Amino acid sequence: MNIYLMNLFFILDQGHTSPNLKGLEMATTERNLLKDLMDRYGSMVGGKDLYLALGFKSYGAFRLANERNEIPIKIFKIPKRRDWYGLTSDLAQWQMSLTQKLLDNIEETRS
């Protein structure tokens, strides 16, 4: 399981679920995620790293999703380069949005 999700589950299990704390924790987690991704990929992520980070198991699956306009972040080509690229910050925001949806679902089931 992703370390960021494990941290968020720990926070929720400790009862820190007030809206103010959740927003602060999400901001901190997003900063940590962005820092980790920037350290790993730099300001752009491309090729195999991009499609794996987006959850695709193969380039073929990524290519089909791109043809159907189903890629969740803005991707682009660089002239004279073969691969697709995306901004690391967009990737981090998208990954955090998935975490937020998961947290919302957990809150709904607890209510």
Side-chain angles (χ1 to χ4, degrees):
M1 180 182 283
N2 184 320
I3 188 72
Y4 302 103
L5 290 177
M6 289 177 14
N7 287 339
L8 290 171
F9 283 131
F10 175 77
I11 289 166
L12 285 175
D13 286 340
Q14 299 303 310
H16 302 294
T17 57
S18 73
N20 292 338
L21 283 177
K22 246 181 15 181
L24 179 61
E25 291 154 359
M26 291 299 288
T28 301
T29 303
E30 187 169 1
R31 276 194 304 275
N32 290 339
L33 174 61
L34 180 58
K35 182 186 178 321
D36 289 349
L37 291 175
M38 291 291 261
D39 289 347
R40 176 180 273 177
Y41 303 120
S43 62
M44 292 186 304
V45 58
K48 186 175 183 178
D49 292 330
L50 176 63
Y51 75 74
L52 290 175
L54 290 170
F56 296 101
K57 294 189 185 287
S58 68
Y59 178 76
F62 171 81
R63 182 183 54 78
L64 286 174
N66 190 25
E67 288 173 6
R68 296 176 182 151
N69 294 318
E70 296 175 344
I71 303 295
I73 66 171
K74 182 179 178 181
I75 59 172
F76 52 90
K77 289 277 200 175
I78 296 177
K80 299 183 182 183
R81 302 275 174 98
R82 176 183 294 194
D83 293 325
W84 286 95
Y85 294 86
L87 294 177
T88 305
S89 58
D90 291 346
L91 179 62
Q93 286 177 337
W94 174 73
Q95 288 179 347
M96 286 304 300
S97 75
L98 296 176
T99 305
Q100 184 59 48
K101 289 175 188 172
L102 176 65
L103 291 174
D104 291 344
N105 289 339
I106 291 171
E107 289 296 316
E108 285 178 17
T109 57
R110 286 187 174 180
S111 299

